[in-house]
Every structure is written in structure tokens, then in C-alpha cells.
Amino acid sequence: MRTSRISQETSRALNATTALTPARSTRLTRSALAQFSLNAGAAAAAAAAAVSTVGDGGDIEDAITDGEGGKRKRGTAATAAVGSRLGGGVKEEEDKAAWKGKGKQEEGSDSELSSAPSSPAPAPARNARRQPVKRIKRSPPPATGAVGPENWERIYDLVMKMRTDGSASNAAVDTMGCHTLAQPEASPRDQRFQTLVSLMMSSQTKDTTNYVVMQKLYNELPSATPGGKAGLNLENILAVPAERLNELIWAVGFHNNKTRYIKGAAEILRDSHGGDIPDTAEGLMALPGVGPKMAYLCLSAAWGKVEGIGVDVHVHRITNLWGWHGRAGTKGPEETRARLEGWVPRGKWAEINWLLVGFGQTVCMSEKGRRRCGECEVGLEGLCGAADRGKVRAGDRKSVV
């Protein structure tokens, strides 16, 4: 990868200053950079100015706990490391690594430095108090009696037709969804616990993978007592070592976190709920690793109670593709749930998740190239603004023939 002149000069200057004084303080390092900027010309001054302004922004909040988030871009990570050094006094060894990495940034980072102002920006105040991250407030649910989008009933009926006897039938959720995984021969209490565990493992995991792992728990989870019944129940989860449980569920996404959540939830059920799962959404959401989607789906499948719509990535994505939440759309599943519950008839709350998850697995996939718009009744009737027009036209011709 080609290295920019600014990055090369900056790297040489840093190597020169650190070679003379290997243990300089933060103040001396800034002085050395400022001195270099006077000697190296306007281009190097622009680089120093761009770097000094990076540390002004706040931290980005991570949605995944325990550092299991996605990868950052190389250029962004390097710039963030430099900004932290100038603003907060990190060790000189970390400064070297951050600045040496600047020499191999992508071309996008080079152009950003080139466009920086020629005059250096004022240095940030030392030990300045960092401002807290602004949190996005959840949108309140719309007023009761809100009107649904135009043609929503027609779209709903078409999808239901495809799900029951059409191109979207026989989805993975139909035979491997969490609502199907409890063992029929287990006691009602154990069935409810099995449903909860399957939902806790289903996050960021395909139904097929979750099904295989559940079968593994049924067959290989050891008994809590000698001669007792092996398999998935509360007592066996409480007794199994966390390391062994983690080995059994390693195939699901974020299995380390889920091992902790399942063990922690089992202790709460034993100590606070008499060994059974809560029968309210609030009680379920008080368990570690259980959010609104899992709580409402668990209430419906385990207790037969419908208190809300379980909105996952399929429901959120597809309803936004159809424009059911206006031109601006919704930012996340919780906002989508609040909007839907404002106008979707309560009699459809329990089935809409099953309906749209299966539709998303078979016809309206997340990858645009895999979507079967030519076989989708919604697209063929011109009711989906996101449909691939070429596939729809091909589907029209095929239906005529």
C-alpha cells in the first residue's frame, strides 16, 4: 500500500524525537511535534493540526458486552490512539506504536490529513473532563387507535398465503424455531425452562444451529445427581460447571456471554421464582441476557400469554422495507415494536413474528441479491417499493407463460 508523504515525514520526526529522549512526557511530545511542524512546512503542520483535533470527540458506546464487538477500521483505530495520547498522557511506547501505524493507513486517511487546515488547532486542555455519551431515548408508543399504513392488510394476507402454502412455506422457523424446541415428554415446568434457554441462545444464531445445540443439551448435559435424569432442566444447569456448559453451546453466537447469562438466570429462578420462569414480561426481562423480544416470545410460547410483539431483525427489516414506519423508518427493534403495537390488531401480535421471520428466511432475505422478488406476491402486485424490478418483471413473464 502506498504511504503518503505527510505520514512518512511525521513518522520520521517522531522516531527522531523519541530516539533522543525515550521517556518524554506528554507535554514534551507535543512540543516536539510543534517544533517539527515549524520546520517541515505547511503539509506537516496540517497533519499535526488534524491529529490534535481527533481527541475532542466522545467515546462510541458498544452494543456487545465484554469487548466482543465488531472490528474497527485500521485508519480509525490509529487516529483514535493518537487522539487519546495527545489528550490523556498514555505511555510513550503506545505513542510509538500508534504513530508508526500511521505510515500504512488507507488512502482515505491520507486525503483527510491533506485537507486539514494549514494553521495548527489549539491543543486540548490537559486532564479535561470527558463529556458523557449522549444516549438515544426510546420513542414512546404511539397513541392507541393509530391507523396503519395503506394496503397493510393486503400485504399481510399475501404473506400469510405464501407462508402457509406458497414460496415462503417450510421455513426453518417452522420446525426449528424456539417455540418448537421444548421436549413433549418433559414436565410443563421443564418445558417452560427449555423454551427460555432456547430463546436465550437464539440471539445472533441461526435457527438450524440453535436446534443442533439444543439437541446436544438434551442428550449430553449431565445429571445433577448420581442416577438422576440427564438432559436440559433447571437442576442440571445449576450443577453443570460453566466450562462444560460453554463446551456444549460453543456453536451459538457469543457463547461465552450466554453461558454466564444462562447460569445466572438459573440461580435467579431457583432463588426468586420457585424454580419456574416468570409469567410476566417484566420478570423475564429482569433475567440476565433477556430483552423485550425474548420476553414477549417466551410469554407467548411458554405461558400462552400475549403482552407484546416479539420484534427481531427480520420483523424490523421487512416492515421498514415496506415503508410501514414512514419515510424516516425506525432506528431499532424497540422503536419498531412500539410503532407496530400502536396499530396492528392485538389478535395478530402472537403470529406476526412467526410470519415475517419465515418470510425473511425463504423469500425476503437480508442480502439483496438473494431475494426472490420474482416469486413474492407482494412485489408482483407492486406493493413493495424495495422490490427488484428486474426480478419482478421476470416473474410476471413466467406467470403469463
Side-chain angles (χ1 to χ4, degrees):
M1 181 180 294
R2 197 172 62 184
T3 305
S4 70
R5 180 172 55 83
I6 294 174
S7 298
Q8 292 174 345
E9 292 174 352
T10 306
S11 181
R12 284 198 299 271
L14 180 68
N15 291 336
T17 56
T18 54
L20 294 175
T21 55
R24 291 194 177 202
S25 66
T26 304
R27 183 181 298 278
L28 290 176
T29 304
R30 285 205 303 271
S31 300
L33 289 176
Q35 183 65 33
F36 167 70
S37 68
L38 292 175
N39 297 332
V51 170
S52 67
T53 59
V54 172
D56 296 337
D59 290 340
I60 298 175
E61 195 171 23
D62 196 348
I64 304 297
T65 59
D66 297 326
E68 293 189 20
K71 296 182 180 178
R72 294 182 180 178
K73 290 185 179 179
R74 187 174 184 180
T76 305
T79 309
V82 174
S84 174
R85 182 179 63 82
L86 292 181
V90 182
K91 292 182 180 179
E92 186 68 22
E93 288 79 7
E94 296 177 1
D95 298 346
K96 288 182 182 180
W99 277 96
K100 287 179 181 179
K102 295 287 287 182
K104 295 183 179 181
Q105 284 186 348
E106 298 177 359
E107 294 182 3
S109 300
D110 296 337
S111 62
E112 184 177 328
L113 287 173
S114 301
S115 61
S118 58
S119 59
R126 192 173 186 179
N127 296 328
R129 178 174 294 178
R130 178 172 292 169
Q131 297 297 320
V133 177
K134 293 183 179 180
R135 296 182 181 274
I136 300 175
K137 295 182 179 179
R138 291 177 179 176
S139 302
T144 304
V147 179
E150 185 180 2
N151 295 323
W152 78 266
E153 290 179 291
R154 179 58 180 164
I155 293 175
Y156 197 96
D157 291 341
L158 289 172
V159 176
M160 181 62 75
K161 178 183 176 183
M162 287 186 284
R163 287 287 287 115
T164 54
D165 187 25
S167 56
S169 59
N170 299 321
V173 70
D174 297 338
T175 56
M176 301 181 188
C178 295
H179 64 288
T180 69
L181 297 184
Q183 292 179 306
E185 67 275 12
S187 67
R189 189 202 72 152
D190 287 349
Q191 286 181 346
R192 290 191 286 268
F193 181 70
Q194 292 167 359
T195 298
L196 173 63
V197 171
S198 69
L199 281 164
M200 293 178 72
M201 294 198 304
S202 68
S203 177
Q204 302 293 319
T205 303
K206 292 183 178 181
D207 285 336
T208 49
T209 302
N210 195 37
Y211 173 85
V212 171
V213 173
M214 285 293 292
Q215 302 307 311
K216 199 174 184 68
L217 290 177
Y218 291 146
N219 297 322
E220 299 183 28
L221 188 65
S223 171
T225 58
K229 183 180 179 181
L232 180 55
N233 58 44
L234 178 66
E235 291 72 24
N236 293 348
I237 287 290
L238 288 169
V240 68
E243 294 78 9
R244 177 55 178 155
L245 178 59
N246 197 22
E247 291 174 0
L248 290 171
I249 70 168
W250 70 269
V252 302
F254 304 106
H255 55 89
N256 293 324
N257 285 344
K258 292 175 181 178
T259 296
R260 267 199 331 275
Y261 294 155
I262 293 171
K263 292 285 287 184
E267 293 176 359
I268 295 174
L269 297 182
R270 177 196 61 195
D271 299 338
S272 303
H273 297 280
D276 207 342
I277 71 171
D279 61 353
T280 64
E282 293 75 15
L284 287 167
M285 284 186 277
L287 300 175
V290 178
K293 179 202 78 172
M294 294 183 196
Y296 293 126
L297 292 176
C298 189
L299 275 180
S300 176
W303 290 106
K305 299 172 66 175
V306 179
E307 293 186 5
I309 297 175
V311 176
D312 68 349
V313 291
H314 291 287
V315 179
H316 171 67
R317 175 178 58 85
I318 293 172
T319 56
N320 273 283
L321 281 178
W322 289 336
W324 278 11
H325 311 297
R327 295 184 64 181
T330 52
K331 306 303 181 185
E334 268 301 278
E335 186 180 357
T336 299
R337 180 182 66 82
R339 295 280 188 91
L340 291 174
E341 289 178 0
W343 57 266
V344 172
R346 198 177 183 91
K348 299 184 184 297
W349 285 14
E351 70 183 16
I352 191 171
N353 180 273
W354 165 85
L355 183 77
L356 296 186
V357 168
F359 181 66
Q361 290 176 343
T362 54
V363 174
C364 191
M365 280 73 84
S366 58
E367 299 89 349
K368 206 169 182 180
R370 295 181 58 210
R371 292 177 191 163
R372 299 160 59 190
C373 300
E375 302 173 47
C376 176
E377 300 291 340
V378 180
L380 293 173
E381 286 202 12
L383 299 176
C384 178
D388 185 315
R389 300 304 173 195
K391 293 180 180 178
V392 170
R393 285 194 293 271
D396 284 333
R397 289 194 296 269
K398 190 179 296 184
S399 61
V400 170
V401 175

